[in-house]
Amino acid sequence: MLGLLRGGGGGKGPPPPPRDGKEVPLPKWMRTVDSFTPVKALALGTAMSALNPKNLLLSIAAASAIARTDTSAGAQAVALAVYVVLGALGPGTPVVLYFALRERSKHILDDLKAWMEQHNTAIMAVICLLFAAKLVGNAVSDLSS
């Protein structure tokens, strides 16, 4: 059910990608994030991670998949730890890169940021499609067993 809700919530579809390298206009709140202090950035990141429907759906799906296994509590704890580590790779990689390379990381991270801003719609569409497919697959598997 969660997969169908997530996959079917597209409405009229994503806007067309910008052409000729034009800059994608970001929402006002995203433009202000660049000027945040580290404390504000941490607070916003924590709030967005906790309240993001995509994260909530993925966490529910992961918890459901782990709970359905016939393994011991220790094995389930290891599965949860792997899930947490994999989930931390996305936001953690740029942080590690920054602290490892310092000033040299600025060019890499700025290029990555520009690319992600340019392709945000496509990135989110693919992520939502993958989540929906996984959740629908889990539901079909549950119904057939």
Side-chain angles (χ1 to χ4, degrees):
M1 183 57 127
L2 291 173
L4 290 174
L5 287 173
R6 189 68 192 156
K12 64 181 179 177
R19 301 191 189 245
D20 302 327
K22 292 181 182 174
E23 193 170 314
V24 177
L26 294 175
K28 183 180 176 185
W29 70 269
M30 285 182 76
R31 289 190 303 264
T32 62
V33 170
D34 282 339
S35 64
F36 277 13
T37 65
V39 173
K40 275 187 178 180
L42 178 64
L44 178 66
T46 302
M48 288 185 69
S49 294
L51 301 176
N52 187 330
K54 174 185 57 131
N55 292 348
L56 290 173
L57 288 173
L58 181 59
S59 295
I60 290 168
S64 172
I66 291 170
R68 285 191 318 226
T69 63
D70 292 330
T71 60
S72 67
Q76 288 180 345
V78 169
L80 177 62
V82 168
Y83 168 75
V84 169
V85 168
L86 290 175
L89 285 177
T93 300
V95 172
V96 169
L97 188 63
Y98 171 78
F99 283 113
L101 300 177
R102 294 290 178 182
E103 284 301 314
R104 293 181 298 171
S105 70
K106 182 168 177 36
H107 176 69
I108 297 167
L109 294 174
D110 286 347
D111 286 350
L112 178 62
K113 178 184 171 203
W115 184 86
M116 291 177 75
E117 287 173 350
Q118 184 80 19
H119 298 91
N120 181 48
T121 303
I123 292 168
M124 291 307 299
V126 169
I127 289 171
C128 290
L129 181 64
L130 290 173
F131 288 167
K134 172 67 174 136
L135 293 173
V136 169
N138 285 350
V140 168
S141 174
D142 287 348
L143 289 174
S144 66
S145 61

